[in-house]
Amino acid sequence: MEKKVYKIAVLPGDGTGPEVVAEGLKVLDAAAAKYGFAFEKTTFNWGGEHYLATGEVLPEDAAETLKKFDAVFLGAIGHPKVKPGILEKGILLKLRFDLDQYINLRPVKLYPGVETPLANKGPEDIDYVVVRENTGGIYTGIGGISQKGTKSEVAIQSMVYNYMQVERCVRFAFETARKRHKDAPWRGLSQEDIAAGKIGQVTLCGKTNVLTFVFDLWERTFYEVAKDYPDIKTAYCHVDATCMWMVKNPEWFDVLVTCNIFGDIITDLGAMTQGGMGVSAGGNINPNGVSMFEPIGGSAPKYTGLGVINPVAAILAGAMMLDFLGETEAAKDIEKSVEFVTAKKMKSQSAGKMGYSTSEVGDLVVENL
Ligand code: IPM
Ligand code: MN
């Protein structure tokens, strides 16, 4: 049989992005060798340095170029010398929108050996995913400023959703719950856990008590789509209460689905409960197009070039990419190896305190594949 070759666009980006991307690719290459597939990688140098040198944030045809790849692997975007907003909106958000990556998938999973600030909670309690709507809502809503700088100044930024955007997002969440249910034995859940409802549930996170227009649409759509998934349980939480339960009873959650801005906020909270930015990965998913996978930690300028940044998030982003490419066994294998390394090897998940350098952590994951 012909060896499968995946075309990957690599965007190392700024700060520590290139360092963690190198480790992610190292692990991906090792998995490819073991499972008999290969990567054809093309690197693009878009980011802060490129912008400062050329004045170009992103080439006109960037999205068209990326559409020719099977997936995009991204490091980090953000530069201390560039005004906030330019790179975030001009690169990260623009690619999400132009590639119609309408889902932001963020697993909140506490790996063994990783410290959590939540008292008396362990890996069996913190294991859920947030399905964040990724191209709509307040991020792309109608807005503007008029009479700027005067006492009459008006600023509007509105949360806009149409039915199609909500429906496809909610449907993805139910599909995700089914997939997690199917994977339950592999994820170490017993038949009792499954019966106890630890899995096979989608919770809508909204604000139906105040945002009575937008979340009316979300709520109706949620229960309508749920009818197609009689095997999956449903629940509802207001976003403020969601934050409370994510800290107090994270074991209640399996799949959480929410709008763009709420998802942005609750996934940073989730990331802290799973050990911080060093271990949190995310996928910007277009189920019918090109998806982009990233560690969610940012460019961490103060650690740049020191070899101390944690590459685990980038390695897990790589595993998520493999899962979406259909290389599920290889993806699970990487996750198992990360689990071993966090449990048995690493001293901490914080930059500079891991007990190993950035590249040594990558080596450990490769050795244990
Ligand atoms: C994220 C980030 C981005 C967002 C920023 C950098 C634009 O915070 O991926 O969560 O708000 O979506
Ligand atoms: Mn964010």
Side-chain angles (χ1 to χ4, degrees):
M1 212 177 80
E2 212 37 64
K3 193 169 179 173
K4 182 95 190 125
V5 180
Y6 297 103
K7 289 175 74 180
I8 305 297
V10 181
L11 277 55
D14 300 314
T16 51
E19 291 167 65
V20 296
V21 158
E23 299 316 305
L25 293 177
K26 187 197 276 179
V27 173
L28 284 169
D29 281 334
K34 180 171 170 186
Y35 286 88
F37 55 89
F39 294 109
E40 188 187 304
K41 303 173 208 118
T42 309
T43 302
F44 297 90
N45 66 348
W46 305 327
E49 292 298 336
H50 176 76
Y51 171 66
L52 291 169
T54 64
E56 176 186 70
V57 180
L58 203 61
E60 201 78 45
D61 60 351
E64 286 312 309
T65 303
L66 294 180
K67 280 182 191 165
K68 300 190 183 93
F69 290 84
D70 293 311
V72 182
F73 191 52
L74 171 79
I77 299 291
H79 196 290
K81 293 200 183 112
V82 181
K83 203 175 125 213
I86 294 177
L87 301 172
E88 295 88 335
K89 285 182 119 171
I91 301 179
L92 186 60
L93 295 184
K94 186 161 173 32
L95 290 178
R96 287 178 182 171
F97 301 157
D98 288 357
L99 294 169
D100 199 20
Q101 293 165 340
Y102 62 84
I103 298 295
N104 195 311
L105 193 61
R106 301 224 167 145
V108 179
K109 178 168 178 174
L110 181 66
Y111 285 88
V114 176
E115 241 180 89
T116 173
L118 303 188
N120 309 317
K121 299 292 176 189
E124 63 288 356
D125 303 305
I126 305 175
D127 181 4
Y128 55 97
V129 304
V130 178
V131 173
R132 164 187 174 191
E133 200 289 324
N134 206 33
T135 55
I138 208 165
Y139 274 63
T140 47
I142 295 156
I145 291 193
S146 79
Q147 293 167 284
K148 191 167 184 171
T150 73
K151 289 233 159 44
S152 310
E153 179 168 348
V154 177
I156 301 184
Q157 201 129 29
S158 52
M159 187 185 277
V160 178
Y161 270 112
N162 67 33
Y163 172 79
M164 178 274 290
Q165 290 174 309
V166 176
E167 199 271 347
R168 65 185 185 174
C169 176
V170 165
R171 192 167 290 283
F172 188 92
F174 280 95
E175 289 293 332
T176 303
R178 261 198 190 154
K179 182 166 184 287
R180 281 169 62 81
H181 205 170
K182 208 174 80 208
D183 280 348
W186 174 78
R187 293 169 56 238
L189 288 165
S190 65
Q191 286 307 320
E192 292 84 76
D193 288 335
I194 298 171
K198 284 205 172 178
I199 191 132
Q201 171 173 285
V202 183
T203 305
L204 172 64
C205 162
K207 193 71 187 172
T208 52
N209 52 346
V210 177
L211 304 180
T212 49
F213 306 128
V214 167
F215 279 97
D216 185 69
L217 172 62
W218 274 83
E219 194 180 33
R220 275 182 290 116
T221 310
F222 179 71
Y223 288 111
E224 175 198 301
V225 171
K227 288 189 196 139
D228 294 340
Y229 299 86
D231 49 320
I232 305 293
K233 291 187 287 296
T234 55
Y236 172 82
C237 277
H238 294 320
V239 62
D240 46 354
T242 303
C243 291
M244 198 166 77
W245 302 129
M246 281 171 68
V247 171
K248 195 163 181 295
N249 294 102
E251 67 279 6
W252 285 359
F253 297 121
D254 177 17
V255 176
L256 262 165
V257 63
T258 194
C259 69
N260 206 342
I261 186 72
F262 292 173
D264 178 45
I265 297 164
I266 70 170
T267 53
D268 268 22
L269 173 59
M272 290 329 279
T273 68
Q274 70 175 119
M277 290 302 182
V279 291
S280 307
N284 302 280
I285 313 287
N286 176 343
N288 314 304
V290 182
S291 300
M292 178 164 76
F293 300 86
E294 53 171 338
I296 71 172
S299 58
K302 75 172 179 188
Y303 297 119
T304 302
L306 304 177
V308 298
I309 195 77
N310 189 345
V312 165
I315 293 168
L316 289 172
M320 205 193 273
M321 180 172 85
L322 286 186
D323 192 39
F324 274 83
L325 290 172
E327 298 292 344
T328 45
E329 288 312 308
K332 286 173 181 172
D333 203 353
I334 294 176
E335 238 197 290
K336 282 281 171 216
S337 178
V338 166
E339 249 174 51
F340 176 81
V341 172
T342 59
K344 305 278 186 231
K345 300 283 180 184
M346 294 173 78
K347 293 189 174 58
S348 158
Q349 299 301 314
S350 304
K353 297 180 185 147
M354 301 183 291
Y356 298 92
S357 69
T358 304
S359 68
E360 282 169 344
V361 173
D363 292 341
L364 283 169
V365 176
V366 168
E367 276 163 35
N368 290 288
L369 268 186

